[in-house]
Amino acid sequence: YAGGMSRPVAFVGNPIYLAGYLLFVLFCGLYFFCMRSEISSRTLRITGLVVSIVAFFGILLAGTRSVLVGLLGSLFLTLGYILFRNEQNAFLNKSLIRRTIAIVVACMLIASGIFAATRHSTFWSHIPGVDRVSTFTTADSTSRSRLIFWNISLHAVNPKTVGVERTLVGWGWDNYLFAWQDSYQPRLFAEDHGFPDRPHNKLLDMLTMTGILGLLAYLGVWWCFFRVVIRIGKAKPVLASLCIFWALAFFIQDMFDFDVLVTSLSFFAMTGLIIFESMHAYER
């Protein structure tokens, strides 16, 4: 990046994949920093803080709008979860904690309003990551092509055109390209000349590849994830809040991108973590 690269790709070859992976790195850093009762080492806590800061700035430098939107949306929702949580918990019910969260949410709303009103100002163009969000428009080529990809995905599982079987079980794993060829829309050629293997939306990706049944199974996994995390939150509210923060950011960014090896591994790692924590919760 210092040498002139506008969006660093690290070892994964794409700034989108890098930013998605850094979400997991950010969680890990926050985990080591926040879980003071679990980790007694001061060195680990300091390391976690440094890792979190580096990961956050890495996400800004990568400039992936979907991840930045995911981070912001996730922060709003997670703070709301902490603020309005009904469980009787000494940590979450501290008046200082609640006042601080309320102030942070208010400041974020004000800052978001100011950004929306002044996003065309040259000031934002000098801030990495924010510069790409400030110039976003649905009229650009990338946005128009994504909308066409999504439309192709929906058309590819429409029972009126492809039959009930495709609607129920889809086109098969990693077969979006065949669905794309079958339901190709010529207006896409003006926006994108490539041969995409994903529709840049995880839900539509699952719907196209595995049909309605596969999509319901995928959403069922997420439902179980959040259900277990909320259950863990009764004993470990900080850990639950961190898991919700990561999960919401990951899920939101997947609405505009798709999973690859590095992001899939982070999802499996997080699933393993909450299964481990839930087993200990049942033991208690």
Side-chain angles (χ1 to χ4, degrees):
Y1 181 82
M5 181 178 290
S6 59
R7 298 177 64 192
V9 300
F11 298 106
V12 297
N14 191 310
I16 298 176
Y17 308 155
L18 173 62
Y21 178 70
L22 287 177
L23 282 177
F24 177 65
V25 178
L26 177 63
F27 166 84
C28 292
L30 291 174
Y31 175 85
F32 284 112
F33 176 70
C34 295
M35 300 300 290
R36 295 171 183 254
S37 60
E38 303 263 337
I39 303 170
S40 59
S41 172
R42 182 181 178 185
T43 302
L44 280 178
R45 292 200 296 270
I46 295 175
T47 302
L49 178 62
V50 173
V51 167
S52 301
I53 294 173
V54 172
F56 176 72
F57 280 102
I59 291 173
L60 289 180
L61 294 178
T64 303
R65 288 175 292 197
S66 59
V67 175
L68 292 172
V69 171
L71 272 179
L72 182 61
S74 175
L75 185 57
F76 269 118
L77 294 172
T78 304
L79 290 176
Y81 162 78
I82 297 174
L83 190 61
F84 298 107
R85 182 176 171 83
N86 294 322
E87 297 291 340
Q88 296 298 319
N89 185 279
F91 173 78
L92 295 180
N93 286 327
K94 289 181 179 178
S95 59
L96 178 61
I97 295 293
R98 290 185 174 275
R99 277 200 298 269
T100 302
I101 292 174
I103 292 172
V104 170
V105 171
C107 290
M108 289 176 63
L109 289 173
I110 294 172
S112 298
I114 294 174
F115 173 76
T118 63
R119 72 187 188 93
H120 297 296
S121 170
T122 56
F123 170 78
W124 303 110
S125 63
H126 301 294
I127 304 178
V130 179
D131 57 343
R132 300 194 72 240
V133 177
S134 66
T135 57
F136 171 78
T137 171
T138 55
D140 63 32
S141 179
T142 300
S143 299
R144 290 197 300 265
S145 64
R146 296 280 176 90
L147 291 174
I148 297 174
F149 289 150
W150 297 352
N151 189 271
I152 290 174
S153 296
L154 293 174
H155 190 272
V157 292
N158 187 338
K160 293 182 179 180
T161 56
V162 298
V164 177
E165 182 181 357
R166 294 292 190 196
T167 305
L168 291 176
V169 299
W171 290 74
W173 289 107
D174 295 324
N175 281 348
Y176 174 77
L177 180 59
F178 298 110
W180 177 82
Q181 291 172 334
D182 183 78
S183 304
Y184 182 78
Q185 299 180 11
R187 60 194 176 104
L188 177 62
F189 188 76
E191 313 297 341
D192 193 311
H193 305 319
F195 291 88
D197 57 353
R198 290 289 189 273
H200 287 272
N201 181 297
K202 181 63 178 180
L203 297 185
L204 291 178
D205 195 21
M206 295 299 297
L207 179 63
T208 307
M209 294 190 303
T210 63
I212 292 177
L213 297 179
L215 176 61
L216 290 176
Y218 177 73
L219 292 175
V221 171
W222 276 109
W223 182 81
C224 292
F225 184 99
F226 283 109
R227 184 166 176 260
V228 172
V229 167
I230 292 174
R231 183 180 301 163
I232 292 172
K234 296 178 181 180
K236 296 183 177 181
V238 177
L239 175 61
S241 299
L242 290 176
C243 288
I244 289 174
F245 173 70
W246 172 87
L248 289 173
F250 185 89
F251 189 85
I252 293 172
Q253 68 96 21
D254 259 358
M255 295 303 96
F256 308 96
D257 293 319
F258 52 89
D259 283 339
V260 292
L261 181 61
V262 291
T263 55
S264 294
L265 286 175
S266 65
F267 176 76
F268 297 143
M270 290 298 297
T271 304
L273 174 65
I274 66 164
I275 291 174
F276 174 80
E277 291 291 345
S278 67
M279 292 172 63
H280 281 261
Y282 286 132
E283 290 175 1
R284 286 191 293 270

